[in-house]
Amino acid sequence: MELVDLTLFLTGLSLTVALDNGLLRTPPMGWMAWERFRCDIDCTYDPKNCISEGLFRDMADRLVEDGWKELGYEYVIIDDCWVSKQRDDQGRLQPDPTRFPGGIAKLARYIHDRGLKLGIYSDMGSHTCMGFPGTTLDKIEIDAQTFASWGVDYLKFDGCYSNPVEQMLGYPQMSKALNATGRPIAYSCSWPAYLGGLPPNVNYSLLGEICHLWRNYDDIQDSWDSVQGIIEWFASNQDVLQPAAGPGRWNDPDMLIIGNFGLSVEQARSQMALWAIMAAPLIMSNDLRNLDNWATAILQNKAAIAINQDPLGIQGRRLVQEKSHIDVFWRPLSNSASALVFLSHRTDMPFLYHTSLAKLNYQPGNYMVYDVFTSSTVTRLKASTDFTVSINPTGVVMCFGHVTGAP
């Protein structure tokens, strides 16, 4: 089948497999293993940190006992390296018997009993990215049924060891197979990340019909350079990416790495602020058992979370890119409110940035403005009034505001 014929085929197919099942009307929140724990399968010498049922039970306990769940962090997501090297006698995926002796269904019950949801990982190629058995086209239906039978609530479907034609067939086919199970399962597609993330290779209209969220770009690493590179790519391509997002369909710039080793406090605030502005999934990848207080405070910031979870579901945009290496981002929110982020790419010293709401395209009026990270409030700020924000190197100032009256 020629590529053009495949495109026509999938255009028709997408109408019957749309994942409009009411899930993820706001970006998902939770915890995922990959960035922090990678493919550590050495449970002999590293039993606390290896990819095993114990690790995921630990993280579920922390989400419940340390206040994460009540803020919306509800998914516990297994990434690569959970699966046995061999399928079972019925051709089904099975977990590594040493590291997951109770099986995935039992782990799902543990997580569900705590009011949380379980996510799992598979790959549509011959193998996963780390070389474990994949979900090839002929295995999609049985794997979807297996995940549903275990009580899985979320699937991350990767694309290593697959080609563009297989991806064009496989990602919609998995969407259809998940729907056919009758179990509501959130569906995260890595498809666009394997095609460069942009049209014409990526059809975001189709993605919005078959997936709840999708990885667009490179994997995040534990460094400010990585975070900054992701922010810049999303901002530079916002005219394509921003219209694709909305309730039930989200761009995914990858995991929150706050609380690991690569970000300062300022940089951690910057990641949290930009992920909130971008309406990105708030999926942490860190060690919740050993998190510094400052990292917890950033990740549990109720104002930042509320901005991220705003039900209007409109992704924010970069309004200004200054020669002084200051960027200004804006996101419209429900009830005529909005959020602003002033991001410094500088590395020298705090920078005093002068502007007004009018210069940022706000309508005339008086505004109440709340600083997300200092909790300070300014009442009756006129749109025409100049103000100054001091932005620390690689840091942000993030504000929430709404009009309070006529000028």
Side-chain angles (χ1 to χ4, degrees), residues 29-49:
M29 298 175 62
W31 181 91
M32 179 181 282
W34 180 254
E35 203 293 318
R36 176 59 180 83
F37 295 96
R38 303 287 173 154
C39 194
D40 181 353
I41 57 174
D42 187 354
C43 292
T44 301
Y45 291 100
D46 198 13
K48 289 290 188 182
N49 299 311

Short mmCIF file of all heavy atoms in Angstrom, two decimals, residues 29-49:
data_model
loop_
_atom_site.label_atom_id
_atom_site.label_comp_id
_atom_site.label_asym_id
_atom_site.label_seq_id
_atom_site.Cartn_x
_atom_site.Cartn_y
_atom_site.Cartn_z
N MET A 29 -1.86 14.12 35.74
CA MET A 29 -0.88 14.40 36.79
C MET A 29 -0.52 13.08 37.46
O MET A 29 -1.38 12.22 37.67
CB MET A 29 -1.45 15.36 37.82
CG MET A 29 -1.81 16.73 37.29
SD MET A 29 -2.62 17.77 38.55
CE MET A 29 -1.32 17.90 39.79
N GLY A 30 0.75 12.94 37.79
CA GLY A 30 1.16 11.72 38.47
C GLY A 30 2.66 11.56 38.52
O GLY A 30 3.40 12.55 38.58
N TRP A 31 3.08 10.31 38.52
CA TRP A 31 4.50 9.97 38.68
C TRP A 31 4.85 8.86 37.71
O TRP A 31 4.08 7.91 37.51
CB TRP A 31 4.77 9.52 40.11
CG TRP A 31 6.21 9.16 40.36
CD1 TRP A 31 7.20 9.99 40.80
CD2 TRP A 31 6.82 7.87 40.17
NE1 TRP A 31 8.39 9.30 40.89
CE2 TRP A 31 8.18 8.00 40.52
CE3 TRP A 31 6.35 6.63 39.74
CZ2 TRP A 31 9.08 6.93 40.43
CZ3 TRP A 31 7.23 5.57 39.65
CH2 TRP A 31 8.58 5.72 40.00
N MET A 32 6.05 8.96 37.11
CA MET A 32 6.53 7.97 36.15
C MET A 32 7.98 7.62 36.48
O MET A 32 8.75 8.47 36.93
CB MET A 32 6.43 8.53 34.72
CG MET A 32 6.92 7.60 33.62
SD MET A 32 6.78 8.33 31.98
CE MET A 32 5.02 8.12 31.67
N ALA A 33 8.36 6.40 36.21
CA ALA A 33 9.67 5.90 36.65
C ALA A 33 10.84 6.38 35.80
O ALA A 33 11.95 6.54 36.31
CB ALA A 33 9.65 4.37 36.67
N TRP A 34 10.64 6.63 34.52
CA TRP A 34 11.76 6.57 33.59
C TRP A 34 12.92 7.52 33.88
O TRP A 34 14.06 7.11 34.03
CB TRP A 34 11.30 6.78 32.14
CG TRP A 34 12.49 6.72 31.22
CD1 TRP A 34 13.10 7.76 30.58
CD2 TRP A 34 13.24 5.56 30.90
NE1 TRP A 34 14.19 7.32 29.88
CE2 TRP A 34 14.30 5.97 30.05
CE3 TRP A 34 13.14 4.20 31.24
CZ2 TRP A 34 15.23 5.07 29.54
CZ3 TRP A 34 14.08 3.31 30.73
CH2 TRP A 34 15.11 3.75 29.89
N GLU A 35 12.69 8.82 33.91
CA GLU A 35 13.84 9.74 33.93
C GLU A 35 14.71 9.52 35.16
O GLU A 35 15.93 9.58 35.08
CB GLU A 35 13.37 11.19 33.85
CG GLU A 35 14.42 12.17 33.32
CD GLU A 35 15.61 12.34 34.25
OE1 GLU A 35 15.41 12.45 35.48
OE2 GLU A 35 16.76 12.37 33.74
N ARG A 36 14.10 9.24 36.29
CA ARG A 36 14.86 9.07 37.52
C ARG A 36 15.45 7.67 37.67
O ARG A 36 16.59 7.51 38.10
CB ARG A 36 13.97 9.39 38.73
CG ARG A 36 14.62 9.16 40.10
CD ARG A 36 15.88 9.99 40.29
NE ARG A 36 16.47 9.74 41.61
CZ ARG A 36 17.27 8.72 41.89
NH1 ARG A 36 17.58 7.83 40.94
NH2 ARG A 36 17.77 8.58 43.10
N PHE A 37 14.69 6.63 37.31
CA PHE A 37 15.12 5.26 37.61
C PHE A 37 15.51 4.46 36.37
O PHE A 37 16.00 3.33 36.50
CB PHE A 37 14.03 4.54 38.41
CG PHE A 37 13.83 5.14 39.77
CD1 PHE A 37 12.82 6.08 39.98
CD2 PHE A 37 14.65 4.83 40.82
CE1 PHE A 37 12.63 6.66 41.23
CE2 PHE A 37 14.47 5.41 42.08
CZ PHE A 37 13.47 6.32 42.28
N ARG A 38 15.24 5.00 35.18
CA ARG A 38 15.68 4.42 33.92
C ARG A 38 15.35 2.92 33.83
O ARG A 38 14.24 2.51 34.07
CB ARG A 38 17.18 4.67 33.72
CG ARG A 38 17.57 6.15 33.77
CD ARG A 38 17.12 6.90 32.53
NE ARG A 38 17.35 8.33 32.65
CZ ARG A 38 17.53 9.14 31.61
NH1 ARG A 38 17.50 8.66 30.39
NH2 ARG A 38 17.69 10.44 31.80
N CYS A 39 16.39 2.13 33.49
CA CYS A 39 16.21 0.68 33.33
C CYS A 39 17.05 -0.07 34.36
O CYS A 39 17.75 -1.03 34.04
CB CYS A 39 16.57 0.25 31.91
SG CYS A 39 16.02 -1.42 31.48
N ASP A 40 16.96 0.39 35.59
CA ASP A 40 17.69 -0.27 36.68
C ASP A 40 16.96 -1.56 37.03
O ASP A 40 15.90 -1.54 37.66
CB ASP A 40 17.76 0.67 37.89
CG ASP A 40 18.51 0.07 39.07
OD1 ASP A 40 18.88 -1.13 39.01
OD2 ASP A 40 18.71 0.78 40.07
N ILE A 41 17.52 -2.69 36.62
CA ILE A 41 16.88 -3.98 36.91
C ILE A 41 17.72 -4.82 37.86
O ILE A 41 17.48 -6.02 38.03
CB ILE A 41 16.60 -4.77 35.61
CG1 ILE A 41 17.87 -4.99 34.80
CG2 ILE A 41 15.55 -4.03 34.76
CD1 ILE A 41 17.66 -5.88 33.58
N ASP A 42 18.70 -4.19 38.51
CA ASP A 42 19.58 -4.89 39.44
C ASP A 42 18.98 -4.85 40.84
O ASP A 42 19.35 -4.03 41.68
CB ASP A 42 20.98 -4.26 39.42
CG ASP A 42 21.98 -5.05 40.24
OD1 ASP A 42 21.57 -6.02 40.92
OD2 ASP A 42 23.18 -4.72 40.20
N CYS A 43 18.06 -5.76 41.09
CA CYS A 43 17.41 -5.79 42.40
C CYS A 43 18.25 -6.49 43.46
O CYS A 43 17.89 -6.48 44.64
CB CYS A 43 16.05 -6.46 42.28
SG CYS A 43 14.86 -5.49 41.33
N THR A 44 19.35 -7.10 43.05
CA THR A 44 20.25 -7.73 44.02
C THR A 44 21.05 -6.68 44.77
O THR A 44 21.12 -6.68 46.01
CB THR A 44 21.20 -8.73 43.33
OG1 THR A 44 20.42 -9.74 42.68
CG2 THR A 44 22.14 -9.37 44.36
N TYR A 45 21.64 -5.75 44.02
CA TYR A 45 22.51 -4.75 44.63
C TYR A 45 21.82 -3.39 44.81
O TYR A 45 22.35 -2.53 45.51
CB TYR A 45 23.78 -4.58 43.79
CG TYR A 45 24.67 -5.80 43.86
CD1 TYR A 45 24.68 -6.74 42.82
CD2 TYR A 45 25.48 -6.04 44.96
CE1 TYR A 45 25.49 -7.87 42.89
CE2 TYR A 45 26.31 -7.16 45.03
CZ TYR A 45 26.30 -8.07 44.00
OH TYR A 45 27.09 -9.19 44.07
N ASP A 46 20.67 -3.20 44.18
CA ASP A 46 19.97 -1.92 44.30
C ASP A 46 18.47 -2.17 44.49
O ASP A 46 17.65 -1.71 43.70
CB ASP A 46 20.22 -1.08 43.05
CG ASP A 46 19.90 0.40 43.25
OD1 ASP A 46 19.73 0.82 44.41
OD2 ASP A 46 19.83 1.13 42.24
N PRO A 47 18.10 -2.90 45.53
CA PRO A 47 16.70 -3.33 45.68
C PRO A 47 15.70 -2.19 45.85
O PRO A 47 14.53 -2.34 45.47
CB PRO A 47 16.73 -4.23 46.92
CG PRO A 47 17.95 -3.79 47.69
CD PRO A 47 18.95 -3.38 46.64
N LYS A 48 16.12 -1.07 46.41
CA LYS A 48 15.19 0.05 46.65
C LYS A 48 14.88 0.83 45.38
O LYS A 48 13.84 1.51 45.30
CB LYS A 48 15.78 0.99 47.70
CG LYS A 48 15.79 0.43 49.12
CD LYS A 48 14.37 0.34 49.68
CE LYS A 48 14.39 -0.03 51.16
NZ LYS A 48 13.01 -0.16 51.69
N ASN A 49 15.78 0.77 44.41
CA ASN A 49 15.65 1.62 43.23
C ASN A 49 15.43 0.87 41.93
O ASN A 49 15.24 1.50 40.88
CB ASN A 49 16.89 2.50 43.09
CG ASN A 49 17.10 3.41 44.28
OD1 ASN A 49 16.17 4.10 44.71
ND2 ASN A 49 18.30 3.42 44.83
#
